[in-house]
Structure formats: C-alpha cells, structure tokens
Amino acid sequence: MADQKTLTFVLMDAPYENARTTTALRLMHIAAKRGHEINVFAYEGAVYLPFALQKAHPNPVHGKDAEEEDHVLPREWVAEVMAEAERNGGKVDWINCGFCVDERGAHEAIEGVRRGGPPNLVAWVGESDNVLVIPTK
Amino acid sequence: MSILHILETAFRGTIEEQDDTVIWTVHAMRKAGQEGSVVLQGNIVGHAVRGQDATGLQFGDHPQTNPVDLAGDMQKLMAAGVPIYVVEGDAADRGIAGADLIAGVQLIDRAGVAGLADSHDLVWHW
Amino acid sequence: MADYMLIASRDPFSTNDVPTYYALARDLKERGNTVTLFLVQNGVLPARPSAASDLLTSLSELGITVLADEFSLRERGIPANGLAPGVAAAPLDLVVDHLESGAKTLWN
C-alpha cells in the first residue's frame, strides 16, 4: 500500500495497572486498521502484555462466572491487533526485552512475540517513520 | 538521527533493578550507535546529586552486593558521549544547588528544554 | 520549525509534572513550532470547566490546538459539548495522523 508507514511503540506498563496500556493498544489498533507496519518494543512489565498464561476468572462481586464476565485478557487484545494489521496488509513485530522477561519469568508468550534488546530498538529507530515512547510512571 | 530523552520519574524500581532503567536503556542504545541527549527535570534531578548511598540492604542472609549507583551510571553515560542536562529551576525548587550535582552535568533553564527538543530529531518523554 | 504532538495522559490535579508539560507546549509554540496538545485518560479532567481548565484555555489562546480524546471524555461523563473554552473533543485517530506525518510525538 502506498501510504503504509512504519510506526514503533515502546511500552513499559504491566497489564491491568494503568490506562496507558489500553490507550497504547487503541493507538496500535488504529494503525493496524490502516495497514501499517507496527513495531512494539515491550520493556519492563510490558513483557507481560502478551503473556500466554493469562486466564479469565469469575467475578463474585458482579455475580458472574468466567464465561459471563468475559474478562479482558491483554494477550487476546494483542493478538487481535496483530490479526487486524495482517488483514489490512500490515504486520506487528513484537519484541519483548529479553532481560525483562528473564527477571520476571515471563517466557511464555503468544505466537508472534520474539525476544530482543536495545540494539533492536536502535535498528527500528532508523527504519521507522515515527516512534512513540509510552513510559510507566 | 538523534533522540532527546526527557526524564522526570525518579527512584522508581532503582533498588530492584540496581540502576535507573531508562538511563540503562539510553546507555545500551548508545553502545548500539544511537545518538542522543538526556534532560533531567522534576524529581529525577535528584539522580544527579552527589553523595547518594543505597548500600546496606540485606534480607536474611542475602545482602544486596551491587546496590544502585545512579550518579555513577550517569557519569558513565556522559563518558560514553551522551550529554546530560539538568533543569536548574527544578533542582533549586528541591533545595539542590549546582554544587550538589555530579561533575559534567549541564544546567539549563526551563525554556532550554524546548530548544533541545528542536535540535533533536525525536523527543522521547519518559 | 517542527510539528509537535504532545499527548497528556495525566492531569494537573494529581501532579505538578503536568503544568511543566503544558509549559513545554507553550515554549515550543513560542519558538515558532506547530503544537497540538492531545488530552487522554485522566489528562481530559481539566477539560471540564474547573479550577484547572484556565491552563488549557490559555494554551489555546497562544495558538496551541488543544484536543480531548472522545472516549476518555465519555468514560468520565464529561460532555463533549461543554468543554472549557479552547478545548475540542477529537478521536484518538488524530494522534496516529500525526505519527504518520512524522510529528515529534511525546507522551506524558
């Protein structure tokens, strides 16, 4: 596609901790719908966003079982963004910071996630049309 | 391609990580060839203060043998070719004088941050 | 001169870092840049006419485009047609527009 761009996002927040995660996924989803090449460098707690062992649970306060509650799993939203990009001629290249994975034991990730480090981010800076860092606070 | 890194979050995770994770990343990127500069504003001006000492933590029989050395890490970053700027007014607001800061950091005023942003290709606000 | 997109996800009721971020928007504008301040998450709170909304109105009067994420407004029950002077509701898509065009894009 003629207007395809390469956009890199740097994420730092662990899932379920801050609305920054939701906004980051919203931005990536918009870019995916436009068919862009999306790079994600997940740093620190963000390596848990595509963690494969996330599991939905019932909500006793809402009085709903796990199926009725249909609890959000960030790994599913990440996978949906990846699928949306591919449907529109783009792709998501997701790198989890390897050291961050090791110290957190977050090795089990969904398909499409690979391991890397700052040199990958430096390469992406050179290849991207833009880079947005969404830091934790 | 050069990046201005504006940092303001201070003393977050530094004990566990044994460094400031953003300073670490900037240094790792520098080793991979990335040009850049760092601005310290807000509470993180405290990372450039002399005399920080995070030694002595011990849980049971397990001492922390490599405690965080934020000032030392920043001196290494500057030695690697990354200039570090400190917003002087933010330091003064926190009772920190220029003489309290490690050698090599450069003091700038608030408006100087915008000037640095204009002189870099990307601005990452951590 | 450059095009800047400053995303503000935090509010001045919670931290003094936010007025500092607004000051960066002002300083960038005074240097002749084109500046958009995009409020998202709790960053939209001062868009409701309030003790802090004058900060946004004054930025708008300097020529800074001040926008508030439609979803974040709705999520917080802030009517899009009752925002502080100088602030307009906008979809998050506008941020991606700026990323595409190469605007220097910051997050706070």
Side-chain angles (χ1 to χ4, degrees):
Chain A
M1 76 187 265
D3 296 329
Q4 188 179 52
K5 302 287 186 181
T6 300
L7 304 178
T8 293
F9 296 85
V10 179
L11 312 180
M12 292 178 73
D13 283 299
Y16 302 114
E17 297 291 343
N18 194 283
R20 286 185 289 266
T21 297
T22 309
T23 306
L25 287 167
R26 289 175 62 205
L27 287 168
M28 288 188 279
H29 193 230
I30 293 165
K33 287 194 285 189
R34 297 183 185 185
H36 294 320
E37 303 266 337
I38 301 166
N39 300 320
V40 180
F41 187 80
Y43 189 49
E44 297 191 15
V47 298
Y48 269 116
L49 292 173
F51 187 57
L53 303 187
Q54 293 169 13
K55 187 178 178 184
H57 56 72
N59 190 326
V61 171
H62 293 172
K64 294 177 179 176
D65 63 23
E67 185 177 358
E68 292 169 330
E69 181 70 7
D70 193 18
H71 198 86
V72 166
L73 297 176
R75 65 170 168 82
E76 293 180 344
W77 280 4
V78 169
E80 290 291 350
V81 171
M82 290 175 167
E84 184 72 47
E86 291 201 8
R87 275 195 296 273
N88 294 291
K91 70 174 176 61
V92 176
D93 189 0
W94 186 297
I95 288 180
N96 268 350
C97 161
F99 291 163
C100 308
V101 165
D102 290 344
E103 64 190 4
R104 289 167 177 78
H107 297 91
E108 295 90 346
I110 63 171
E111 189 176 346
V113 174
R114 62 191 177 105
R115 180 187 175 95
N120 300 100
L121 180 56
V122 171
W124 278 348
V125 167
E127 298 164 4
S128 299
D129 294 289
N130 216 330
V131 182
L132 175 60
V133 172
I134 302 179
T136 193
K137 290 291 181 184
Chain B
M1 180 72 76
S2 63
I3 302 172
L4 179 66
H5 302 273
I6 303 175
L7 280 61
E8 66 184 14
T9 301
F11 300 102
R12 184 195 62 80
T14 53
I15 296 295
E16 285 177 271
E17 294 281 3
Q18 301 182 171
D19 52 39
D20 178 283
T21 60
V22 177
I23 291 292
W24 183 91
T25 300
V26 173
H27 200 150
M29 293 179 72
R30 179 73 194 104
K31 281 177 174 284
Q34 182 64 57
E35 299 285 341
S37 307
V38 167
V39 168
L40 305 180
Q41 66 175 23
N43 284 343
I44 204 170
V45 299
H47 284 204
V49 168
R50 298 177 193 270
Q52 298 175 62
D53 180 3
T55 61
L57 274 182
Q58 177 160 339
F59 293 89
D61 294 330
H62 193 162
Q64 187 177 35
T65 57
N66 288 295
V68 61
D69 176 13
L70 300 172
D73 287 345
M74 282 194 286
Q75 284 171 321
K76 290 173 185 168
L77 183 60
M78 288 187 286
V82 177
I84 298 180
Y85 302 89
V86 174
V87 177
E88 186 171 21
D90 288 359
D93 287 347
R94 289 159 178 81
I96 300 169
D100 297 325
L101 301 174
I102 58 173
V105 297
Q106 300 174 57
L107 296 174
I108 57 170
D109 62 14
R110 164 68 46 210
V113 179
L116 286 168
D118 278 345
S119 65
H120 289 71
D121 300 299
L122 293 169
V123 185
W124 293 5
H125 194 285
W126 296 88
Chain C
M1 296 303 104
D3 182 13
Y4 282 88
M5 163 59 76
L6 273 63
I7 304 165
S9 70
R10 299 191 296 163
D11 62 273
F13 303 109
S14 301
T15 169
N16 201 45
D17 290 343
V18 175
T20 298
Y21 194 56
Y22 294 169
L24 176 61
R26 179 201 64 211
D27 292 343
L28 290 168
K29 180 64 183 174
E30 289 179 348
R31 290 178 59 84
N33 296 292
T34 301
V35 181
T36 301
L37 181 69
F38 194 96
L39 315 174
V40 68
Q41 301 166 201
N42 281 342
V44 303
L45 292 178
R48 177 189 275 132
S50 61
S53 52
D54 282 354
L55 296 170
L56 299 176
T57 300
S58 64
L59 292 177
S60 171
E61 289 168 349
L62 292 173
I64 294 169
T65 302
V66 183
L67 303 172
D69 173 47
E70 291 170 344
F71 177 82
S72 301
L73 290 170
R74 180 160 47 83
E75 181 189 12
R76 287 161 180 76
I78 302 174
N81 60 0
L83 301 179
V87 184
L92 193 65
D93 303 61
L94 278 174
V95 174
V96 179
D97 293 346
H98 281 75
L99 285 169
E100 289 173 348
S101 67
K104 292 182 177 179
T105 306
L106 291 68
W107 180 287
N108 186 41

